[in-house]
Amino acid sequence: MEINATYNSLVAVGDSFTEGMSDLRPDGSYGGWADVLASRLAARAPGFRYANLAVRGKLIGQIVEEQVALAAEMKADVVTLVGGLNDTLRPKVDMGRVKGLLTEAVERLTPSCGQLVLMRSPGRNGPVLDRFRPRMEELFAHIDELAGRHGALVVDLYGAPVLADPRLWDVDRLHLTADGHRRVAEAVWQTLGLAPEQDWQAPLPDAARVGWVTRRAADARFAKEHLGPWIGRRLTGRSSGDGRPPKRPELLPYEARSEA
């Protein structure tokens, strides 16, 4: 990639990871890595435009049906596509179908944009996600294959040890903190050929040891407030994004903002 290239537009496609949960702003809205990236790109390109079509909870079939055609029509300089992980976390999943839908999305987006960016999503350590890890790695291997075939870039977040650090994950243990999102934005920034501004893979300082009672209390809170409802939605086929519109459905001018 060209160092210090200029990009004039960005369209982000995906689910909660791209919507920006759990990067809460003071006004109650979500920021996220895509917003941080858009802000940084806007600072370099007057008239920069940005759309974020992502909606939490979306499966790859819904992403293809609801977001891909719209993103293709926008003909942006950069399109990011992150999807399929929610499918792997369902009790039952047809991985052949998931990979086929992802292939369809890539084939439809590649000719319509300047550069398609795919991701190997981050995954924290723990027994819940460990159960689904083989599916995730099958998905990521397919992403690598698609990128090689279609000239897409791949941001390897899964291979970054720091993003498995629980301190970069919100209390729901499924979404990154603000610092985690900023690191992802930097990873995409560098993958696009832009000069590094920080080491996004730098490990966090050594953590103070947390006592057994504190850990068990946190586990109990997580199970009650997040794990239980999440399992309930998986079993009933419901989604946290049902009826929710995209956060930024049109490709409109976007101004640089402070994301600190």
Side-chain angles (χ1 to χ4, degrees):
M1 294 296 296
E2 177 187 352
I3 297 297
N4 290 325
T6 297
Y7 300 99
N8 295 302
S9 54
L10 167 68
V11 176
V13 173
D15 51 34
S16 60
F17 176 69
T18 301
E19 183 184 345
M21 298 172 69
S22 294
D23 182 16
L24 271 175
R25 290 177 170 144
D27 64 2
S29 65
Y30 287 116
W33 66 266
D35 281 16
V36 175
L37 178 65
S39 181
R40 292 174 62 181
L41 291 173
R44 297 168 50 87
F48 179 84
R49 296 177 299 152
Y50 168 50
N52 191 323
L53 308 180
V55 178
R56 65 195 71 173
K58 292 299 182 181
L59 303 174
I60 186 61
Q62 295 169 309
I63 291 172
V64 170
E65 180 180 353
E66 300 168 11
Q67 301 179 31
V68 167
L70 183 57
E73 291 173 1
M74 293 178 178
K75 301 187 181 302
D77 287 349
V78 178
V79 172
T80 63
L81 168 63
V82 188
L85 199 62
N86 282 334
D87 298 78
T88 69
L89 301 179
R90 295 276 168 163
K92 296 181 180 180
V93 61
D94 180 347
M95 287 302 297
R97 179 176 181 272
V98 170
K99 291 188 289 185
L101 286 165
L102 189 60
T103 300
E104 178 185 345
V106 169
E107 291 177 345
R108 292 170 64 181
L109 289 170
T110 300
S112 70
C113 68
Q115 181 62 63
L116 180 63
V117 178
L118 308 176
M119 290 190 196
R120 293 161 53 94
S121 303
R124 62 167 289 164
N125 296 323
V128 175
L129 287 182
D130 281 349
R131 174 187 173 189
F132 303 104
R133 202 169 297 278
R135 296 177 182 176
M136 295 165 58
E137 293 181 349
E138 181 179 353
L139 176 69
F140 297 156
H142 186 62
I143 287 171
D144 289 342
E145 179 186 344
L146 286 173
R149 194 188 315 160
H150 295 281
L153 300 174
V154 177
V155 184
D156 185 13
L157 305 176
Y158 186 71
V162 68
L163 292 181
D165 191 313
R167 290 173 291 174
L168 288 178
W169 294 80
D170 191 58
V171 292
D172 67 2
R173 304 183 184 181
L174 284 173
H175 300 106
L176 293 170
T177 62
D179 185 23
H181 280 285
R182 283 193 292 268
R183 288 171 181 259
V184 172
E186 177 67 25
V188 181
W189 176 269
Q190 293 182 21
T191 301
L192 287 170
L194 297 165
E197 295 190 4
Q198 67 180 79
D199 181 4
W200 67 272
Q201 298 193 63
L204 298 177
D206 292 340
R209 185 173 179 82
V210 179
W212 183 89
V213 173
T214 300
R215 294 199 306 272
R216 296 294 77 79
D219 289 343
R221 177 188 172 194
F222 162 69
K224 178 181 179 181
E225 297 181 5
H226 302 286
L227 181 59
W230 179 79
I231 291 175
R233 291 194 298 271
R234 300 290 82 76
L235 294 175
T236 59
R238 293 179 292 114
S239 167
S240 56
D242 288 346
R244 183 177 294 274
K247 66 181 293 182
R248 191 176 171 86
E250 297 181 73
L251 187 60
L252 296 174
Y254 191 80
E255 295 184 2
R257 58 185 293 170
S258 172
E259 301 290 346

